[in-house]
């Protein structure tokens, strides 16, 4: 029988560098997906969400069997009703929100909902989404929305590993701490469309030998589960990880609008039927020991979903073009399958099968951006985007544009066809977006190196179109909005079209 003599402990405070969407699985009259909230009505991250991310990362590093010894597994039932399963040796708390005093809100407390800090959490931002077809229009039943937590919100949690002190546990513990400090660490829903990027703000760790050190034993016995326990006052900060995201390709986009652009909120105001999406964020005063949080004014937002959707459609175009797949000379199903297309794609009634195969079954899009699960199938994307917040919405130049639909027969205005939109004028302002591509995972899931090169080639051609103004972003692109030009770097070097 194993005697567990050691305890690996850590207390981590993380800050949401992008909005966070850890769903509760519930909905209300205002949104399709609510975020998880604790007993106080404040957002939190369930320990199960943290455990799931850890298990996935550790299995990729050490394999399934060693991770089962750490995080447990469900065994098969035997004849006498017992099973050979094992419980987890890793203990995780929920990640509770850090309050206005810089301390975690742990347990049921009285919240001053009228304060400047807590009041905005009564009405969290709601993101509007629409799935676009290959024809550039919204798909049937493709409209949905979801609630998110403000960028800058901080969370605190504790983690404990029960161990006998062996070196394998020490290696796994080190890997777990590196994971939380990795730039690629994301949690919750929508991690591939801009959400869930968390960065470690403060980290304290302790390794206790309960068998040979009486002070360690007494300290551990007196420790409580409260996240504000004074136990951590005696320990120093974690060492900074040298994890530099090896195996990832980092693209930096430096783009300037040619004139107007509009990423719509899906709402209207008193003076416009279409208005840009804006959100508040939280900033922390670093001069204070624990930091003091304040909400910014509403900021202009470029949602990562809009950038991802546009690039995905353009990747389809370039991959099809490079493989001589055109509407006027359609290859046979066998030829498409040989080129890597997924021909078993489900089609709706009256939907063209060829169109579905070369778009939804496009191998480059499936490999780079993932695809939804059918049964046990499904794969997440290898390209990670982040939302971009830029300047105060109050000081950013805007323009109110009026439109009217003209009757082609009479040349006059059509009845009820007058509308207007409020657009952003961004000329002269540079917008910097970051995109990460997990090349290692891409190679693992697609064994042929030549296929991986083709996927990345199509992706970089789409990026080239974006920087040259040939791939507009946002709404009203057919009305001249959303053209950006600039430069793109790949791992620090300027990306030039060599394909």
């Amino acid at each position: 029988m194993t005697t567990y003599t050691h305890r690996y402990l850590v207390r981590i405070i993380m800050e949401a560098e992008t909005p966070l969407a850890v769903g509760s699985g519930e909905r209300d009259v205002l949104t399709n997906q609510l975020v998880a909230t604790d007993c106080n009505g404040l957002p939190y991250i369930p320990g199960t969400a943290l455990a799931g991310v850890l298990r996935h990362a550790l299995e990729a590093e050490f394999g399934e069997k060693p991770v089962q010894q750490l995080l447990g597994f469900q065994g098969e039932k035997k004849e006498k009703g017992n099973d050979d399963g094992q419980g987890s040796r890793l203990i995780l708390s929920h990640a509770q929100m850090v309050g206005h005093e810089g301390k975690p809100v742990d347990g049921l407390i009285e919240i001053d909902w009228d304060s400047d800090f807590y009041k905005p959490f009564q009405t969290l931002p709601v993101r509007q989404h629409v799935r676009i077809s290959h024809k550039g229009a919204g798909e049937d039943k493709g409209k949905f929305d979801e609630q998110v937590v403000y960028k800058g919100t901080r969370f605190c949690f504790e983690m404990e590993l029960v161990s006998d002190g062996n070196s394998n546990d020490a290696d796994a513990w080190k890997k777990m701490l590196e994971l939380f400090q990795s730039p690629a660490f994301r949690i919750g829903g929508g991690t591939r469309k801009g959400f869930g990027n968390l960065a470690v703000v403060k980290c304290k760790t302790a390794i206790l030998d309960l068998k040979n050190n009486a002070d360690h034993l007494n300290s551990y016995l007196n420790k409580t589960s409260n996240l504000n326990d004074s136990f951590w006052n005696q320990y120093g900060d974690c060492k900074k990880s040298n994890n530099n995201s090896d195996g990832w390709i980092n693209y930096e986009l430096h783009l300037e609008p040619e004139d107007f652009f509009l990423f719509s909120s899906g709402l209207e105001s008193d003076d416009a039927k279409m208005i840009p999406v804006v959100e508040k964020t939280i900033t922390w005063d670093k001069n204070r020991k624990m930091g003091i949080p304040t909400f910014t004014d509403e900021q202009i937002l470029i949602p990562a979903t809009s950038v991802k959707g546009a690039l995905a459609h353009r990747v389809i175009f370039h991959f099809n073009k490079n493989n001589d797949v055109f509407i006027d000379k359609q290859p046979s199903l066998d030829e498409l399958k040989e080129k890597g297309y997924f021909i078993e794609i489900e089609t709706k009634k009256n939907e063209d099968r060829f169109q579905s195969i070369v778009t939804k079954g496009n191998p480059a899009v499936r490999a780079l951006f993932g695809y939804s699960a059918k049964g046990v199938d499904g794969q997440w994307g290898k390209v990670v985007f982040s939302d971009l917040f830029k300047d105060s919405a109050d000081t950013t130049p805007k323009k109110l544009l009026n439109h009217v639909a003209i009757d082609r027969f009479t040349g006059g205005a059509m009845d009820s066809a007058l509308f207007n939109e409020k657009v952003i004028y961004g000329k002269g302002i540079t917008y910097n977006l970051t995109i990460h591509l997990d090349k290692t995972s891409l190679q693992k899931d697609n064994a042929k190196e030549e296929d991986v090169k083709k996927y990345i080639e199509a992706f970089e051609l789409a990026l080239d179109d974006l920087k040259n103004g040939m791939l507009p972003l946002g709404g009203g692109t057919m009305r001249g909005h959303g053209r950006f030009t600039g430069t793109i770097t790949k791992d620090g070097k300027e990306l030039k079209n060599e394909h």
Side-chain angles (χ1 to χ4, degrees), residues 416-442:
S416 303
L418 179 65
F419 69 99
N420 53 17
E421 59 182 348
K422 186 177 289 185
V423 295
I424 304 297
Y425 183 72
K427 191 172 181 62
I429 303 174
T430 300
Y431 293 79
N432 302 315
L433 295 93
T434 302
I435 301 175
H436 305 285
L437 194 157
D438 187 354
K439 187 177 181 180
T440 300
S441 295
L442 189 64

Side-chain angles (χ1 to χ4, degrees), residues 327-341:
I327 191 68
D328 58 341
K329 52 175 185 178
Q330 300 181 14
S332 66
L333 291 181
D334 289 339
E335 289 175 319
L336 287 172
K337 189 172 183 179
E338 187 177 342
K339 293 175 183 290
Y341 288 82

Side-chain angles (χ1 to χ4, degrees), residues 40-82:
N40 296 301
L42 294 172
Y44 84 111
I45 302 173
T48 50
L50 295 168
V53 173
L54 281 171
R55 179 182 284 274
H56 179 82
L58 291 174
E59 285 182 351
E61 181 74 15
F62 300 108
E64 183 178 359
K65 290 295 183 181
V67 175
Q68 286 182 346
Q69 302 304 313
L70 284 173
L71 301 179
F73 61 96
Q74 184 75 38
E76 296 182 0
K77 289 289 183 180
K78 295 182 177 180
E79 293 182 0
K80 295 183 180 181
N82 297 323

Side-chain angles (χ1 to χ4, degrees), residues 280-330:
K280 294 181 178 180
T281 63
I282 299 174
T283 59
W284 294 78
D285 180 6
K286 303 299 191 300
N287 294 324
R288 296 290 297 269
K289 183 178 180 180
M290 293 301 294
I292 298 296
T294 56
F295 274 91
T296 66
D297 294 331
E298 290 182 328
Q299 294 183 306
I300 296 298
L301 168 64
I302 296 182
T305 48
S306 297
V307 181
K308 176 184 177 182
L311 285 172
H313 281 278
R314 190 53 61 94
V315 166
I316 291 174
F317 166 78
H318 283 296
F319 187 82
N320 290 341
K321 176 177 175 291
N322 292 344
N323 283 274
D324 294 324
V325 176
F326 300 100
I327 191 68
D328 58 341
K329 52 175 185 178
Q330 300 181 14

Side-chain angles (χ1 to χ4, degrees), residues 54 57-58 60-62 169-182 241 243:
L54 281 171
L58 291 174
E61 181 74 15
F62 300 108
D169 287 351
D171 290 341
W173 182 254
K174 180 182 178 182
K175 181 63 182 179
M176 284 186 251
L177 298 186
E178 287 179 352
L179 170 67
F180 289 118
Q181 298 183 61
S182 167
S241 170
N243 192 323

Side-chain angles (χ1 to χ4, degrees), residues 25-39:
E26 300 179 355
R27 60 187 300 172
D28 63 9
V29 296
L30 297 178
T31 181
N32 301 125
Q33 177 65 66
L34 296 171
V35 301
T37 54
D38 62 12
C39 58

